[in-house]
Amino acid sequence: MNSTFWLTNVRLETDYHFVNGTITKTNTACAHLIIKDGTIAEIVAADSLLNDDYPKKDMKQLLALPSFIEKHCHLDKTLLSDKWRAVTPVNNIFERCEIEKEVLPTLHTTIQQRAEELLSRYVQLGVTHVRTHVDLYPEVGLKNLEEVQKAFQTFEGKLSYEIVAFPQHGLLRTKATSLIREALRSGAGFVGGVDPATVDGDIEASLQQMVELAVEGNAGIDLHLHDPDQLGTFTMKRLAQLTKEAGLQGKVAISHAFGLGDVSRSEAEEMADILRDAGITIVTSVPLRRKFPPVGLLNSKGVPVAIGCDNIFDVWSPFGNGDLLERAGRLAKSSGWGDERSLAQTLQFITGGKTPLNQAGEQTWPKVGDSANMVFLEASCSAEAIARRSQRKATMFKGNFVSSSI
């Protein structure tokens, strides 16, 4: 579209409606937004006369929300666009890794093709930023990274992205240090890791190596941590210490972090303070059959929390569709967040903290100067969108429609 144009008749949330001190619904109103060079340049009421000659796109009173951020996926693993296959049962993670190494090279489609299929679905579902983990191990070298980068090139201008150099089979176990270093030089921005205790067999050495690589490569860290209970929290505490010592606050994430869901509330509160102090983000896929981190507690303590879909139809799981709105609804349901405000605030976990209304009901998004990264839905408000997985009609990235059925 033209670099300057109007989005007309956009539904925006304005405040909460209270009855006897209780929120009963979210108030909305339609507005016109002028988009200029990829940002929101002006917001006016829908009854305002538009006397300029800028092009106009009628949004038909669709609800606008901040576009979504996928914080944990594996573009190189997905089987989307290839033939159907269910999961082969295994006894442990090592057997699963071996099966994956055998299966992926035999597929009729390329990693690039499959990654592009998943990225296409993401864009249609309102996602405009993706963090993907890319497997690195001796048998494949940097091939997975190169294929995923090609997929991202195809989607240039449709979304932004981050790449984690991920030693799926163990950083120490497969002696992957040189591969991680090379991946960082080739475009990856994060050092990955997996279960320093049960996969690498040495918590201290594994974490030290991750931190050293991150500092050397001016990169962040995103650690897969499935280890349970005190084993998991011990690992988190040590990573928090190393993070502060290395000055990596705000650049480290722990994915899964199941141990936080296993320990007592008091222990989880203590861990929340440690994580907040170190600036560590927790990323959860909201699993159905596993205790996961207490998102509400962490959020109340100031720990950044994000949702990611993780495995989407791959050798590890036959399930998953890339719908972050569905995952957010799952989080709300499992957490007992059924009231208007709680549902609406769940949105923050898939938007990088952005919500149209804050806890007090004050409008915080959109504001003039915000990037025009939006998703337009058939919903009356964000609470309904979360609870009902409302249909997405259009996705905008930096002022351009990257998906639209209107």
Side-chain angles (χ1 to χ4, degrees):
M1 294 189 69
N2 192 295
S3 62
T4 302
F5 60 96
W6 285 100
L7 293 177
T8 63
N9 301 312
V10 177
R11 183 167 301 282
L12 300 176
E13 297 183 353
T14 57
D15 57 14
Y16 291 129
H17 181 72
F18 290 83
V19 175
N20 297 325
T22 300
I23 296 172
T24 58
K25 66 176 182 178
T26 304
N27 293 325
T28 65
C30 284
H32 303 322
L33 284 63
I34 192 165
I35 308 300
K36 183 176 182 179
D37 298 327
T39 63
I40 299 170
E42 190 175 353
I43 304 172
V44 301
D47 58 4
S48 302
L49 294 177
L50 307 181
N51 296 318
D52 55 57
D53 295 326
Y54 292 131
K56 299 172 180 63
K57 173 68 173 178
D58 185 2
M59 299 310 293
K60 305 182 186 302
Q61 300 187 32
L62 290 169
L63 177 70
L65 294 178
S67 59
F68 306 148
I69 296 173
E70 165 61 276
K71 272 294 188 179
H72 187 122
C73 71
H74 295 266
L75 290 178
D76 61 322
K77 292 179 181 290
T78 185
L79 304 179
L80 289 174
S81 80
D82 208 273
K83 68 178 182 179
W84 159 255
R85 69 177 66 226
V87 165
T88 302
V90 297
N91 296 310
N92 54 56
I93 187 175
F94 304 112
E95 290 182 7
R96 179 67 64 206
C97 289
E98 290 305 310
I99 288 176
E100 185 173 54
K101 284 197 295 186
E102 293 171 6
V103 168
L104 293 185
T106 69
L107 300 179
H108 298 293
T109 51
T110 66
I111 290 174
Q112 180 183 349
Q113 289 173 320
R114 299 191 298 274
E116 287 177 1
E117 175 65 25
L118 180 50
L119 289 173
S120 178
R121 296 190 185 199
Y122 274 139
V123 169
Q124 292 171 19
L125 292 168
V127 173
T128 62
H129 183 83
V130 170
R131 177 183 290 184
T132 183
H133 299 256
V134 175
D135 282 9
L136 302 173
Y137 50 93
E139 291 87 344
V140 298
L142 296 185
K143 179 183 177 182
N144 293 352
L145 173 63
E146 293 164 354
E147 289 287 298
V148 166
Q149 287 174 322
K150 291 177 187 176
F152 279 131
Q153 289 172 7
T154 302
F155 279 76
E156 187 70 32
K158 295 184 178 182
L159 48 73
S160 54
Y161 63 89
E162 301 167 306
I163 297 176
V164 182
F166 181 46
Q168 170 70 83
H169 307 164
L171 177 59
L172 304 181
R173 186 170 174 267
T174 59
K175 299 179 176 61
T177 299
S178 60
L179 267 178
I180 299 295
R181 184 177 288 116
E182 191 174 352
L184 294 175
R185 293 171 180 162
S186 301
F190 289 80
V191 176
V194 58
D195 296 335
T198 55
V199 173
D200 269 343
D202 189 328
I203 294 175
E204 187 65 20
S206 182
L207 293 179
Q208 287 276 6
Q209 188 66 79
M210 282 180 235
V211 171
E212 289 172 12
L213 284 166
V215 171
E216 175 190 321
N218 190 28
I221 294 172
D222 195 329
L223 168 66
H224 281 60
L225 186 58
H226 311 90
D227 287 337
D229 302 299
Q230 277 74 23
L231 178 58
T233 56
F234 175 86
T235 305
M236 291 180 226
K237 288 177 183 177
R238 185 60 184 135
L239 179 57
Q241 291 174 333
L242 293 171
T243 295
K244 292 174 65 177
E245 291 171 7
L248 292 173
Q249 295 96 320
K251 299 179 67 175
V252 176
I254 300 174
S255 291
H256 306 305
F258 291 140
L260 292 173
D262 295 328
V263 298
S264 68
R265 181 177 178 86
S266 62
E267 290 175 289
E269 289 177 343
E270 176 191 353
M271 281 304 310
D273 291 336
I274 292 171
L275 294 167
R276 182 193 63 237
D277 185 51
I280 293 178
T281 297
I282 297 298
V283 184
T284 180
S285 63
V286 196
L288 292 174
R289 294 184 175 274
R290 180 69 169 86
K291 289 182 179 179
F292 58 90
V295 174
L297 184 155
L298 295 172
N299 184 55
S300 70
K301 286 277 198 173
V303 178
V305 180
I307 292 174
C309 290
D310 197 10
N311 301 96
I312 298 171
F313 179 35
D314 55 20
V315 174
W316 298 71
S317 170
F319 307 110
N321 55 15
D323 193 342
L324 280 171
L325 197 60
E326 181 180 77
R327 293 289 170 128
R330 182 194 295 183
L331 172 63
K333 184 176 181 180
S334 64
S335 302
W337 301 337
D339 63 280
E340 187 85 0
R341 178 160 49 193
S342 296
L343 283 167
Q345 292 303 304
T346 305
L347 186 70
Q348 67 185 295
F349 304 118
I350 59 172
T351 60
K354 295 178 182 176
T355 56
L357 303 177
N358 62 17
Q359 286 280 6
E362 301 163 331
Q363 190 176 47
T364 58
W365 182 94
K367 297 291 187 184
V368 171
D370 286 347
S371 294
N373 298 337
M374 295 178 275
V375 56
F376 300 88
L377 309 92
E378 289 185 337
S380 63
C381 62
S382 55
E384 180 185 4
I386 293 290
R388 303 305 305 161
R389 199 181 69 182
S390 298
Q391 184 176 4
R392 273 123 291 177
K393 303 296 288 184
T395 304
M396 175 171 279
F397 177 63
K398 294 185 177 180
N400 294 311
F401 283 103
V402 293
S403 175
S404 178
S405 61
I406 58 175

